[in-house]
Amino acid sequence: MNKRPFDKEMFKRSVLYNVKTLYRRNMEEATQQQIFHAVALATKDAVIDAWLATQEEIKKKDPKIVYYMSMEFLMGRALGNNLINLTFYDGVKEALEELGCDLNLIEDQEPDAALGNGGLGRLAACFLDSLSTLGYVAYGCGIRYHYGMFKQKIEDGYQIEVPDEWLQNGNPFELRRTEYAKIVKFGGYVDVEVDEKGRQHFVQKGYQSVRAIPCDLPIVGYGNNVVNTLRIWDAEPMNSFHLASFDKGEYQKAVEEENLAKLIVEVLYPNDNHMAGKELRLKQQYFFISASVQRAVDKYKEDHNGDIHKFYEKATFQLNDTHPTVAVAELMRVLLDEEGLEWDEAWDITTKTCAYTNHTIMSEALEKWPIELFSRLLPRVYQIIEEINRRFVLEIQRKYPGDYEKVRKMAIIYDGQVKMAHLAIASGYSVNGVARLHTEILKNQELKDFYQMMPEKFNNKTNGITQRRFLLHGNPLLANWVTDHIGDDWITDLSQISRLKIYADDEKAQQEFMNIKYQNKVRLAKYILEHNGVEVDPRSIFDVQVKRLHEYKRQLLNILHVMYLYNQIKDHPEMPFYPRTFIFGAKAAAGYHRAKLTIKLINSVADVVNNDASINGKLKVVFIEDYRVSNAEWIFAAADVSEQISTASKEASGTGNMKFMLNGAITIGTMDGANVEMVEEMGEENAVIFGLSSDEVINYEQNGGYNPMEIFNSDQDIRRVLMQLINGYYAPNDPERFRDIYDSLLNTKSSDRADTYFILKDFRAYAQAHQRIEAAYRDEKGWAKKAILNTASCGKFSSDRTIQEYVDEIWHLDKISVTL
Ligand code: 26W
């Protein structure tokens, strides 16, 4: 640890000065938004010294660098996090109090940087935090979307998407670095030119181009002065064009290039786990990859006398899912066409540089691009992929002579399509899944042929989360309590948190722990009242499911169960029932109709249940609008029960599950993703596990599914709940409203398999699991013990551990240390 002293008086002067020079105001006159900018700039001043010092250290030590290539970085807010990692948070809080303002309110002025959809984007953000904290040199490479993940409004129970204007007031932490601008070319055709030595050169002609401008954001390590860079690329037209000076052809081209530049970075695609196949998306991918690869090569040459041959010794590219996979072809292009290397050497460098992480087995998420589109947009890159494919197919045939099935299944280009996962696997030195179960499914099912051909590339890296945002910042009461009991080493070494285990049976500790949980529930209840207008009782069980809305995640199972509970309470008012608040938060992809209808269903159930005075508030349902990183921190802190109920085998890992566990919530879940490893750490008695196993699910799937009609016909409670979907119980004005959901479960019309996600099959087991939750909660001491043991067993799930494994087994980076 290398903590820097905080100079409170200087910080106050800096804030006052910024308010004055930026806005010509004093503290009394300034708005909260203006004060936020003043505080952010004062914070940036403190960051800059460490950022510079880190650059100096990199120049001196020449460490190996990881480039984390990702279409998504779900950063959330920066101010609080930067202050936490500078170890200035408490100091600044005090300084601002002395200036008459509240740091929490100032933090609330900052829009979330929501440059991501969900798990994959947030994982990238946690990884950057850990890389800096552990002292490894990294660049996050991404896109500076002008609009991030849409803001969600709920109107009449329906989701409405509203543009996210996160840059409206500027971004105080970013540094625009025009000196590193790069040109990216699209379209046209490839000409072959032969030089005097008879060597062929491939030249792209008749293309459109855009200028890529890097905007750098600091990634502050915890208490160690290391500051890495998240480099997000903005686009500008090549010619800031003057109408008069162009002839007709050039005028046309200038207009097109201007439009291209504007469009390319306009907006994040809001699909999670669904490939839409839009041309603009491929443009986005190539745009940021080409710029990042060009810059990485330039930087290496600057630091190594212009010699590129050992590039892979000092640089590695981690591809965050297949979205950035065009990087392997772009690196080949730069090495072949711009550096003049021969194929074999370029290929040797590329395959020693690139590594791929798979984040999902959902087949609709697999990226495939039509040849026509790909070759038209990226003609030279496509030629290179053809050659990679030609050689790869030869390799398959050498290994499996005469086995044409293998070629059909494994080729990179097949059936008129470019398969990005195949390209990533063939061209990299590592392929990893994100939880043990997920990696096993990749090896034994989804990517079986590739695993058999090159087993040495496959490895697992179980996901993790940063305890600095999701405990230290998000739950200060619990963070302080932990530190009071075991010291503060857990902040940078989460394995230390196991030392809390000795307090699991300690009555005083139990009371304190549950009291903190209660206070966090009060905080959330206040938020819910302010933002949803619903009053919830902090003494009820807070049962929470927050994550993207997807059928495989089974929010539908959860709400059907709530409908069932409501029927039970109505039928048996005398039945003992511990009051429960079911809390949902989820965005649905804008074009995903069934997901959006599920949101409407949740809100419709909420309307009926919350307004039924006859159940005496035993049951409440809340849908939190616009679930995002900043409100997530509060939600995790306040949860008693964590819903992790995906159909087994479908959730690659999950990371929300870990954030709940860290904050002492009990998991109700299936044996899926990282849940399996969490249960291994906390012990089965400290979670509530139910439902089909992944083997059982896969088995059913391979044998054509199961018949939900049998359940519908034999289980009267389930039948009643399903009938309430189509008899107007929750939609008196439009009884047909939820017909599609009903049909999806019973398949009365369509030819798809019914209940693809085994909701009815798992329903009874799920209802019983909830009974176990209720019984456990009634045992106050028993529950407190479980909660403490959850927090205390969380050590493995720090992203610091994950990153150390990536470093040891894939990246082989050098550590740096920075003193100021
Ligand atoms: C091409 C469209 C598309 C968009 C996003 C396809 C796939 C995605 C992501 C891979 C979806 C995603 O976020 N996956 C999640 O990754 C997390 C981090 O590894 C895991 O914890 C989640 O289980 C997984 O769903």
Side-chain angles (χ1 to χ4, degrees):
M1 194 80 39
N2 226 331
K3 278 192 194 170
R4 224 185 334 160
F6 174 67
D7 183 337
K8 187 167 72 181
E9 291 311 317
M10 193 171 96
F11 193 88
K12 281 160 67 180
R13 277 199 302 277
S14 176
V15 171
L16 292 173
Y17 177 83
N18 288 341
V19 170
K20 185 169 92 183
T21 56
L22 289 171
Y23 305 110
R24 212 191 58 196
R25 289 199 169 160
N26 60 35
M27 291 296 279
E28 287 71 50
E29 299 158 340
T31 65
Q32 295 285 88
Q33 174 67 208
Q34 291 172 333
I35 296 173
F36 159 70
H37 275 266
V39 174
L41 288 178
T43 305
K44 186 182 178 184
D45 281 344
V47 170
I48 287 280
D49 295 323
W51 211 353
L52 280 167
T54 303
Q55 283 306 313
E56 283 305 307
E57 189 64 18
I58 296 172
K59 273 212 197 93
K60 235 173 39 211
K61 294 278 164 59
D62 192 25
K64 189 172 179 186
I65 300 173
V66 61
Y67 292 88
Y68 198 80
M69 309 267 190
S70 180
M71 290 285 278
E72 305 190 11
F73 289 91
L74 223 185
M75 303 300 289
R77 291 174 175 157
L79 176 60
N81 200 247
N82 286 340
L83 291 175
I84 287 270
N85 283 6
L86 288 165
T87 68
F88 291 177
Y89 192 89
D90 293 338
V92 167
K93 199 168 173 53
E94 216 178 282
L96 291 181
E97 266 160 29
E98 291 172 20
L99 294 174
C101 32
D102 175 348
L103 176 55
N104 286 323
L105 296 182
I106 300 298
E107 284 183 62
D108 265 338
Q109 292 297 314
E110 183 179 359
D112 279 39
L115 309 183
N117 272 287
L120 160 134
R122 183 54 230 177
L123 184 75
C126 285
F127 279 4
L128 294 181
D129 184 85
S130 289
L131 279 158
S132 290
T133 297
L134 293 172
Y136 296 113
V137 182
Y139 281 86
C141 301
I143 298 173
R144 186 175 177 274
Y145 300 108
H146 291 197
Y147 297 91
M149 187 62 203
F150 63 76
K151 309 233 95 199
Q152 181 191 55
K153 291 253 177 304
I154 301 295
E155 281 177 20
D156 186 29
Y158 288 103
Q159 165 177 298
I160 308 288
E161 301 91 25
V162 179
D164 163 41
E165 300 184 337
W166 74 294
L167 291 169
Q168 206 172 36
N169 297 316
N171 181 352
F173 287 106
E174 88 177 359
L175 225 57
R176 201 176 174 86
R177 319 218 42 192
T178 37
E179 68 271 33
Y180 295 130
K182 289 283 163 212
I183 292 166
V184 181
K185 301 172 183 173
F186 295 97
Y189 59 96
V190 181
D191 220 4
V192 186
E193 292 173 357
V194 182
D195 67 14
E196 54 292 359
K197 289 180 198 145
R199 218 192 117 119
Q200 290 188 324
H201 295 268
F202 297 86
V203 190
Q204 192 173 351
K205 293 187 172 166
Y207 52 82
Q208 288 182 354
S209 39
V210 288
R211 194 195 307 279
I213 316 282
C215 293
D216 288 356
L217 295 167
I219 306 294
V220 181
Y222 185 84
N224 66 355
N225 304 313
V226 175
V227 180
N228 278 311
T229 302
L230 169 56
R231 172 160 288 173
I232 48 179
W233 296 88
D234 195 10
E236 280 182 4
M238 287 296 295
N239 307 300
S240 45
F241 73 100
H242 310 288
L243 298 182
S245 66
F246 290 111
D247 65 29
K248 202 170 161 226
E250 280 193 39
Y251 176 82
Q252 187 69 19
K253 187 170 163 177
V255 174
E256 281 169 13
E257 288 189 342
E258 171 131 337
N259 286 338
L260 179 62
K262 216 175 110 46
L263 259 179
I264 219 162
V265 292
E266 181 80 347
V267 62
L268 166 79
Y269 275 92
N271 288 329
D272 189 78
N273 268 305
H274 180 74
M275 154 92 185
K278 289 278 192 294
E279 179 165 339
L280 182 60
R281 166 93 175 178
L282 184 57
K283 284 182 184 164
Q284 290 183 334
Q285 295 183 348
Y286 185 66
F287 167 74
F288 93 98
I289 286 300
S290 178
S292 302
V293 170
Q294 291 183 56
R295 178 58 207 148
V297 167
D298 277 2
K299 179 175 169 56
Y300 178 86
K301 285 170 66 187
E302 283 162 22
D303 300 340
H304 300 89
N305 308 313
D307 184 350
I308 194 67
H309 294 83
K310 292 277 163 67
F311 181 68
Y312 55 85
E313 285 185 353
K314 297 292 181 181
T316 186
F317 297 169
Q318 190 67 36
L319 309 179
N320 201 19
D321 215 280
T322 56
H323 320 156
T325 295
V326 70
V328 304
E330 177 65 2
L331 181 56
M332 285 296 288
R333 187 192 67 77
V334 170
L335 296 175
L336 293 168
D337 297 357
E338 285 171 23
E339 302 300 322
L341 300 190
E342 295 297 329
W343 183 278
D344 287 340
E345 188 178 16
W347 182 248
D348 183 61
I349 293 173
T350 300
T351 51
K352 285 176 173 162
T353 301
C354 299
Y356 156 61
T357 305
N358 176 291
H359 293 267
T360 180
I361 63 158
M362 300 297 292
S363 57
E364 58 277 29
L366 286 180
E367 284 195 300
K368 301 173 198 152
W369 295 103
I371 290 177
E372 183 281 318
L373 165 62
F374 206 107
S375 58
R376 174 164 49 80
L377 199 64
L378 309 172
R380 178 60 183 142
V381 167
Y382 180 71
Q383 281 186 339
I384 292 170
I385 293 176
E386 266 192 331
E387 181 61 13
I388 294 174
N389 180 54
R390 192 184 66 78
R391 291 168 183 245
F392 184 57
V393 167
L394 285 177
E395 219 182 298
I396 299 170
Q397 287 169 335
R398 249 197 316 277
K399 181 119 189 175
Y400 305 103
D403 189 346
Y404 202 72
E405 261 299 278
K406 286 279 184 193
V407 174
R408 187 185 64 77
K409 287 193 287 185
M410 298 173 76
I412 296 163
I413 303 176
Y414 202 90
D415 222 6
Q417 292 182 314
V418 185
K419 301 184 174 179
M420 300 311 271
H422 298 193
L423 178 61
I425 300 168
S427 316
Y429 65 96
S430 167
V431 177
N432 76 281
V434 290
R436 195 210 300 140
L437 175 66
H438 170 59
T439 301
E440 288 306 310
I441 293 174
L442 291 179
K443 291 198 295 192
N444 302 327
Q445 317 270 342
E446 305 302 310
L447 301 177
K448 191 171 171 190
D449 295 303
F450 292 92
Y451 176 61
Q452 281 173 355
M453 183 165 159
M454 31 203 168
E456 69 289 346
K457 286 189 185 178
F458 284 74
N459 63 93
N460 174 246
K461 296 287 166 284
T462 298
N463 283 168
I465 57 166
T466 171
Q467 65 270 30
R468 290 167 290 278
R469 182 178 289 268
F470 292 105
L471 184 53
L472 188 54
H473 183 260
N475 191 348
L477 294 176
L478 186 56
N480 285 332
W481 183 85
V482 173
T483 297
D484 286 345
H485 286 77
I486 62 168
D488 66 2
D489 288 351
W490 63 271
I491 297 171
T492 51
D493 174 9
L494 196 62
S495 71
Q496 294 294 323
I497 207 152
S498 67
R499 291 167 51 209
L500 283 177
K501 285 184 182 163
I502 55 170
Y503 296 101
D505 281 309
D506 177 324
E507 263 185 53
K508 180 163 166 281
Q510 290 178 348
Q511 270 168 18
E512 289 167 354
F513 196 97
M514 293 318 291
N515 185 37
I516 288 168
K517 181 61 79 181
Y518 182 77
Q519 291 183 57
N520 286 321
K521 287 164 78 174
V522 171
R523 180 175 73 164
L524 183 63
K526 224 177 119 212
Y527 179 95
I528 290 172
L529 185 60
E530 274 165 27
H531 293 83
N532 293 66
V534 179
E535 214 169 315
V536 300
D537 182 353
R539 288 164 306 180
S540 65
I541 302 175
F542 277 19
D543 183 305
V544 188
Q545 186 172 21
V546 285
K547 50 182 79 239
R548 283 302 290 262
L549 212 139
H550 200 291
E551 287 165 274
Y552 85 80
K553 294 176 188 284
R554 300 201 294 191
Q555 282 93 352
L556 182 56
L557 173 59
N558 186 343
I559 196 65
L560 291 176
H561 174 254
V562 172
M563 290 160 66
Y564 159 81
L565 284 181
Y566 180 58
N567 290 340
Q568 295 284 301
I569 297 171
K570 298 282 282 180
D571 287 357
H572 310 285
E574 74 296 342
M575 171 182 85
F577 186 87
Y578 204 100
R580 266 172 271 180
T581 302
F582 288 92
I583 297 170
F584 294 82
K587 289 181 185 176
Y592 190 174
H593 298 293
R594 194 169 288 161
K596 291 174 108 172
L597 191 58
T598 305
I599 291 177
K600 173 64 177 171
L601 176 62
I602 294 167
N603 283 311
S604 302
V605 174
D607 270 349
V608 171
V609 169
N610 297 348
N611 295 312
D612 183 344
S614 79
I615 61 167
N616 296 321
K618 284 179 186 168
L619 198 54
K620 284 274 167 81
V621 179
V622 180
F623 188 94
I624 294 182
E625 192 176 72
D626 202 35
Y627 172 60
R628 60 189 185 279
V629 176
S630 53
N631 61 21
E633 293 178 32
W634 287 34
I635 295 170
F636 296 127
D640 294 306
V641 178
S642 159
E643 297 269 354
Q644 307 300 334
I645 59 177
S646 54
T647 310
S649 81
K650 302 295 177 198
E651 189 69 274
S653 163
T655 43
N657 46 3
M658 302 166 186
K659 294 163 196 171
F660 281 106
M661 179 180 175
L662 179 63
N663 284 276
I666 309 306
T667 300
I668 178 166
T670 49
M671 274 297 187
D672 198 18
N675 295 354
V676 178
E677 291 160 78
M678 284 166 42
V679 170
E680 212 167 84
E681 296 296 310
M682 71 181 78
E684 205 158 346
E685 67 284 7
N686 295 306
V688 175
I689 299 301
F690 73 95
L692 295 175
S693 69
S694 68
D695 284 342
E696 287 169 325
V697 168
I698 290 167
N699 222 325
Y700 276 117
E701 286 176 340
Q702 288 170 348
N703 294 295
Y706 82 106
N707 185 6
M709 261 309 169
E710 281 171 20
I711 296 175
F712 180 76
N713 288 330
S714 63
D715 187 323
Q716 293 315 303
D717 294 330
I718 292 180
R719 186 188 189 93
R720 176 163 168 212
V721 167
L722 292 193
M723 292 313 291
Q724 288 171 337
L725 288 174
I726 53 167
N727 67 9
Y729 196 83
Y730 292 103
N733 303 325
D734 179 9
E736 288 294 302
R737 180 172 294 144
F738 301 114
R739 170 72 69 177
D740 173 69
I741 291 177
Y742 174 89
D743 285 345
S744 77
L745 295 169
L746 295 172
N747 187 15
T748 54
K749 282 204 290 276
S750 81
S751 59
D752 327 337
R753 252 174 45 215
D755 193 12
T756 331
Y757 296 103
F758 301 88
I759 287 174
L760 302 192
K761 189 87 188 151
D762 271 345
F763 186 92
R764 273 291 156 197
Y766 180 58
Q768 281 159 14
H770 267 293
Q771 286 178 349
R772 285 189 269 155
I773 288 277
E774 179 177 356
Y777 198 84
R778 285 179 192 279
D779 169 11
E780 277 180 37
K781 286 179 197 162
W783 186 273
K785 178 177 176 178
K786 286 188 198 335
I788 293 173
L789 285 175
N790 265 270
T791 299
S793 306
C794 217
K796 175 173 171 183
F797 303 105
S798 170
S799 46
D800 299 342
R801 186 271 312 152
T802 312
I803 284 299
Q804 193 59 53
E805 289 181 8
Y806 274 91
V807 168
D808 292 341
E809 295 162 26
I810 304 179
W811 301 335
H812 306 290
L813 307 179
D814 315 293
K815 249 190 208 216
I816 59 165
S817 79
V818 177
T819 38
L820 282 184

